């Protein structure tokens, strides 16, 4: 809810998800209920699936795209499948580390040291 880059990304996927699939900033969630901590959610995106399993980083992106369906779903499946998933993990880490330099970002986008 504070990081402009993350908020823009959340709005983007929210517009592509089926009706009734919520996209929420971590600040409005009961993290303990989801088995997550503030340290978890301030360092990566999370996707909590219908079974309650939390997916982190590139896996969160892949699962959210799969839920969106269509071509996005295919792209999501590719993102979570090795060997592409290995590259996606590295790419996600770079984007997360430098998200404060991306368009729409604010100082709140900096990862904690």
């Amino acid at each position: 809810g504070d990081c402009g880059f993350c908020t823009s990304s959340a709005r983007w996927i929210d517009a592509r998800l089926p009706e009734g699939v919520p996209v929420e900033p971590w600040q409005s969630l009961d993290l303990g209920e989801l088995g997550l901590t503030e340290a978890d959610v301030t360092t990566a995106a999370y996707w909590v699936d219908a079974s309650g399993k939390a997916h982190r980083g590139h896996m969160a992106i892949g699962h959210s795209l799969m839920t969106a369906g269509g071509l996005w779903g295919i792209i999501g499946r590719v993102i979570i499948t090795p060997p592409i998933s290995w590259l996606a993990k590295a790419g996600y880490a770079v984007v997360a580390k430098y998200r404060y330099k991306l368009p729409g970002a604010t100082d709140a986008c900096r990862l904690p040291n």
Side-chain angles (χ1 to χ4, degrees):
D2 296 330
C3 174
F5 176 75
C6 294
T7 300
S8 296
S9 299
R11 284 188 193 130
W12 185 90
I13 193 62
D14 190 37
R16 288 154 179 82
L17 290 170
E19 180 99 14
V21 178
V23 175
E24 302 287 338
W26 69 264
Q27 294 91 336
S28 68
L29 301 172
D30 181 344
L31 296 178
E33 184 179 292
L34 297 171
L36 299 171
T37 67
E38 188 172 329
D40 291 329
V41 298
T42 56
T43 57
Y46 276 82
W47 178 263
V48 180
D49 65 26
S51 71
K53 181 175 180 178
H55 304 275
R56 174 183 166 76
H58 73 291
M59 297 299 282
I61 304 306
H63 283 278
S64 66
L65 292 170
M66 288 170 30
T67 303
L71 179 59
W72 295 119
I74 294 167
I75 293 168
R77 174 66 61 191
V78 169
I79 287 172
I80 69 166
T81 303
I84 299 300
S85 65
W86 306 332
L87 297 172
K89 181 177 182 178
Y92 183 91
V94 170
V95 170
K97 182 174 182 176
Y98 295 105
R99 66 187 181 189
Y100 68 96
K101 293 184 176 189
L102 296 171
T106 64
D107 283 341
C109 300
R110 285 187 185 268
L111 287 175
N113 291 330

